[in-house]
Coordinates of all heavy atoms in Angstrom, one line a residue:
F6 N 64.2 127.0 143.2 CA 64.9 127.5 142.0 C 64.6 126.6 140.9 O 65.5 126.4 140.0 CB 66.4 127.8 142.3 CG 67.1 126.6 142.7 CD1 67.8 125.7 141.8 CD2 67.2 126.3 144.1 CE1 68.5 124.7 142.3 CE2 68.0 125.1 144.5 CZ 68.6 124.3 143.6
R7 N 63.4 126.2 140.7 CA 63.1 125.1 139.8 C 62.2 125.4 138.6 O 61.6 124.6 138.1 CB 62.6 124.0 140.5 CG 63.2 123.6 141.9 CD 64.7 123.4 141.7 NE 65.2 122.8 142.9 CZ 66.3 123.2 143.6 NH1 66.9 124.1 143.2 NH2 66.6 122.5 144.7
S8 N 62.1 126.7 138.3 CA 61.3 127.0 137.0 C 61.9 126.4 135.8 O 63.1 126.0 135.8 CB 61.3 128.6 136.8 OG 62.5 129.0 136.4
A9 N 61.1 126.1 134.8 CA 61.6 125.5 133.6 C 62.8 126.4 133.0 O 63.8 125.8 132.5 CB 60.5 125.4 132.5
E10 N 62.6 127.7 133.1 CA 63.7 128.5 132.5 C 65.0 128.4 133.3 O 66.1 128.3 132.8 CB 63.2 130.0 132.6 CG 64.2 131.0 132.1 CD 63.7 132.4 132.1 OE1 62.7 132.7 131.5 OE2 64.3 133.2 132.9
R11 N 64.9 128.3 134.6 CA 66.0 128.2 135.5 C 66.7 126.8 135.3 O 67.9 126.7 135.2 CB 65.6 128.3 137.0 CG 66.8 128.2 137.9 CD 67.7 129.4 137.9 NE 68.8 129.2 138.9 CZ 70.1 129.2 138.6 NH1 70.5 129.4 137.3 NH2 70.9 129.0 139.5
R12 N 65.9 125.8 135.1 CA 66.4 124.4 134.9 C 67.1 124.4 133.6 O 68.1 123.7 133.4 CB 65.3 123.4 135.0 CG 64.8 123.2 136.4 CD 64.1 121.9 136.6 NE 63.1 121.6 135.6 CZ 61.9 122.0 135.4 NH1 61.4 122.7 136.3 NH2 61.2 121.5 134.4
A13 N 66.6 125.1 132.5 CA 67.3 125.2 131.2 C 68.7 125.8 131.3 O 69.7 125.3 130.8 CB 66.4 125.9 130.2
E14 N 68.7 126.8 132.1 CA 70.0 127.5 132.5 C 71.0 126.5 133.1 O 72.1 126.4 132.8 CB 69.9 128.7 133.3 CG 69.2 129.9 132.7 CD 68.9 131.0 133.7 OE1 69.6 131.0 134.8 OE2 68.1 131.8 133.5
M15 N 70.4 125.8 134.1 CA 71.3 124.9 134.8 C 71.7 123.7 134.0 O 72.8 123.2 134.2 CB 70.5 124.4 136.1 CG 70.2 125.5 137.1 SD 69.0 125.0 138.3 CE 70.0 124.0 139.4
S16 N 70.9 123.3 133.0 CA 71.4 122.2 132.2 C 72.5 122.5 131.3 O 73.3 121.7 130.8 CB 70.2 121.7 131.3 OG 69.9 122.7 130.3
R17 N 72.8 123.9 131.1 CA 74.0 124.3 130.3 C 75.2 124.7 131.3 O 76.2 125.1 130.8 CB 73.6 125.5 129.6 CG 72.6 125.2 128.5 CD 72.3 126.4 127.5 NE 71.6 127.5 128.2 CZ 70.3 127.6 128.4 NH1 69.5 126.7 127.9 NH2 69.8 128.7 129.0
A18 N 75.0 124.6 132.6 CA 76.0 125.1 133.5 C 77.4 124.3 133.4 O 78.4 124.8 133.8 CB 75.6 125.0 135.0
Y19 N 77.3 123.1 132.9 CA 78.5 122.2 132.8 C 78.8 121.9 131.4 O 79.5 120.9 131.1 CB 78.3 121.0 133.6 CG 78.0 121.3 135.1 CD1 76.7 121.2 135.6 CD2 79.1 121.6 135.9 CE1 76.5 121.5 137.0 CE2 78.8 122.0 137.3 CZ 77.6 121.9 137.8 OH 77.4 122.2 139.1
S20 N 78.4 122.7 130.4 CA 78.6 122.4 129.1 C 80.0 122.9 128.5 O 80.4 122.3 127.5 CB 77.5 122.9 128.2 OG 77.3 124.3 128.4
T21 N 80.4 124.0 128.9 CA 81.7 124.5 128.4 C 82.6 124.9 129.7 O 82.1 125.1 130.8 CB 81.5 125.8 127.5 OG1 81.0 126.8 128.3 CG2 80.6 125.4 126.4
R22 N 83.9 125.1 129.4 CA 84.7 125.6 130.4 C 84.3 126.9 130.9 O 84.3 127.2 132.2 CB 86.2 125.7 129.8 CG 87.2 126.2 130.8 CD 88.6 126.2 130.3 NE 89.5 126.5 131.3 CZ 90.1 125.7 132.2 NH1 89.8 124.4 132.2 NH2 90.9 126.2 133.1
E23 N 83.8 127.8 130.1 CA 83.4 129.2 130.5 C 82.2 129.1 131.4 O 82.1 129.8 132.5 CB 83.1 130.0 129.3 CG 84.3 130.4 128.5 CD 84.9 129.2 127.6 OE1 84.1 128.3 127.2 OE2 86.1 129.2 127.4
T24 N 81.2 128.2 131.1 CA 80.0 128.0 132.0 C 80.4 127.4 133.3 O 79.8 127.8 134.4 CB 78.9 127.2 131.3 OG1 79.3 126.0 131.0 CG2 78.4 128.0 130.0
V25 N 81.3 126.5 133.3 CA 81.7 125.9 134.6 C 82.4 126.9 135.4 O 82.1 127.1 136.6 CB 82.6 124.6 134.3 CG1 83.2 124.2 135.7 CG2 81.9 123.5 133.7
V26 N 83.3 127.7 134.8 CA 84.1 128.7 135.6 C 83.1 129.7 136.2 O 83.2 130.1 137.3 CB 85.2 129.4 134.7 CG1 85.7 130.7 135.3 CG2 86.3 128.4 134.4
T27 N 82.2 130.2 135.4 CA 81.2 131.2 135.8 C 80.4 130.6 137.1 O 80.2 131.3 138.0 CB 80.2 131.5 134.7 OG1 80.9 132.1 133.6 CG2 79.1 132.5 135.2
G28 N 79.9 129.4 137.0 CA 79.2 128.8 138.0 C 80.0 128.6 139.2 O 79.6 128.9 140.4
L29 N 81.2 128.2 139.1 CA 82.2 128.0 140.1 C 82.5 129.3 140.9 O 82.4 129.3 142.1 CB 83.5 127.4 139.6 CG 84.6 127.1 140.6 CD1 84.2 126.1 141.7 CD2 85.8 126.6 139.8
D30 N 82.7 130.4 140.1 CA 83.0 131.6 140.7 C 81.9 132.5 141.2 O 82.0 133.3 142.1 CB 83.9 132.5 139.7 CG 85.2 131.9 139.5 OD1 85.7 131.0 140.3 OD2 85.8 132.2 138.5
T31 N 80.7 132.2 140.7 CA 79.6 133.1 141.1 C 78.5 132.4 142.0 O 77.8 133.1 142.7 CB 78.8 133.7 139.9 OG1 78.3 132.6 139.1 CG2 79.7 134.6 139.0
V32 N 78.5 131.1 142.0 CA 77.5 130.4 142.7 C 78.1 129.3 143.7 O 77.6 129.2 144.9 CB 76.5 129.7 141.8 CG1 75.4 128.9 142.6 CG2 75.8 130.7 140.9
L33 N 79.0 128.5 143.2 CA 79.3 127.3 144.0 C 80.3 127.6 145.1 O 80.1 127.1 146.2 CB 79.9 126.3 143.1 CG 78.9 125.7 142.0 CD1 79.7 124.7 141.1 CD2 77.8 125.0 142.7
R34 N 81.4 128.3 144.9 CA 82.4 128.4 145.9 C 82.3 129.8 146.5 O 81.9 130.8 145.9 CB 83.8 128.1 145.4 CG 84.3 129.2 144.5 CD 85.8 129.3 144.3 NE 86.1 130.4 143.5 CZ 86.2 131.6 144.0 NH1 86.2 131.8 145.3 NH2 86.5 132.7 143.2
Y35 N 82.8 129.9 147.8 CA 83.0 131.1 148.5 C 84.5 131.3 148.7 O 85.0 132.4 148.4 CB 82.2 131.1 149.8 CG 82.4 132.4 150.6 CD1 81.8 133.6 150.2 CD2 83.3 132.4 151.7 CE1 82.0 134.8 150.9 CE2 83.5 133.5 152.5 CZ 82.9 134.7 152.1 OH 83.1 135.8 152.8
A36 N 85.1 130.3 149.3 CA 86.5 130.4 149.6 C 87.4 130.2 148.4 O 86.9 129.4 147.5 CB 86.8 129.4 150.7
P37 N 88.5 130.7 148.3 CA 89.4 130.5 147.2 C 89.9 129.0 147.1 O 90.0 128.3 148.2 CB 90.6 131.4 147.3 CG 90.5 132.0 148.6 CD 89.1 131.7 149.2
L38 N 90.1 128.5 145.9 CA 90.6 127.2 145.7 C 92.0 127.3 145.2 O 92.3 128.2 144.4 CB 89.8 126.3 144.8 CG 88.3 126.1 145.2 CD1 87.5 125.4 144.1 CD2 88.1 125.4 146.5
S39 N 92.9 126.3 145.4 CA 94.2 126.3 144.8 C 94.0 126.2 143.3 O 92.9 125.7 142.8 CB 95.0 125.2 145.4 OG 94.5 123.9 144.8
D40 N 95.0 126.6 142.5 CA 94.9 126.5 141.0 C 94.6 125.0 140.7 O 93.8 124.7 139.8 CB 96.1 127.0 140.4 CG 96.3 128.5 140.5 OD1 95.2 129.2 140.8 OD2 97.4 129.0 140.3
A41 N 95.4 124.1 141.3 CA 95.2 122.6 141.0 C 93.8 122.2 141.3 O 93.2 121.4 140.5 CB 96.3 121.8 141.7
L42 N 93.3 122.5 142.5 CA 92.0 122.0 142.9 C 90.9 122.7 141.9 O 90.0 122.0 141.5 CB 91.7 122.4 144.3 CG 90.6 121.7 145.0 CD1 90.6 120.2 144.9 CD2 90.6 122.1 146.5
R43 N 91.1 123.9 141.6 CA 90.1 124.6 140.8 C 90.1 123.9 139.3 O 89.1 123.7 138.8 CB 90.6 126.0 140.7 CG 89.7 126.9 139.8 CD 90.4 128.4 139.8 NE 89.7 129.2 138.8 CZ 88.5 129.7 139.1 NH1 87.9 129.6 140.2 NH2 88.0 130.5 138.1
E44 N 91.2 123.7 138.9 CA 91.3 122.9 137.5 C 90.7 121.6 137.6 O 90.0 121.1 136.7 CB 92.7 122.9 137.1 CG 92.9 122.4 135.6 CD 92.2 123.3 134.7 OE1 92.1 124.5 134.9 OE2 91.7 122.8 133.7
Q45 N 90.9 120.9 138.7 CA 90.3 119.5 138.9 C 88.7 119.7 138.9 O 88.0 118.9 138.2 CB 90.7 118.9 140.2 CG 90.0 117.5 140.4 CD 90.4 116.9 141.8 OE1 91.3 117.4 142.4 NE2 89.7 116.0 142.2
V46 N 88.2 120.7 139.6 CA 86.7 120.9 139.5 C 86.2 121.2 138.2 O 85.2 120.6 137.7 CB 86.3 122.1 140.5 CG1 84.9 122.4 140.3 CG2 86.6 121.7 141.9

Side-chain angles (χ1 to χ4, degrees):
F6 55 94
R7 316 308 193 226
S8 70
E10 181 180 298
R11 181 71 177 121
R12 289 194 325 269
E14 289 173 21
M15 294 167 76
S16 71
R17 294 185 295 273
Y19 299 102
S20 56
T21 68
R22 182 177 182 85
E23 292 73 29
T24 60
V25 171
V26 167
T27 297
L29 180 61
D30 290 343
T31 62
V32 178
L33 295 176
R34 74 161 184 85
Y35 175 77
L38 302 176
S39 70
D40 289 345
L42 195 51
R43 183 180 171 78
E44 191 58 34
Q45 179 184 344
V46 169

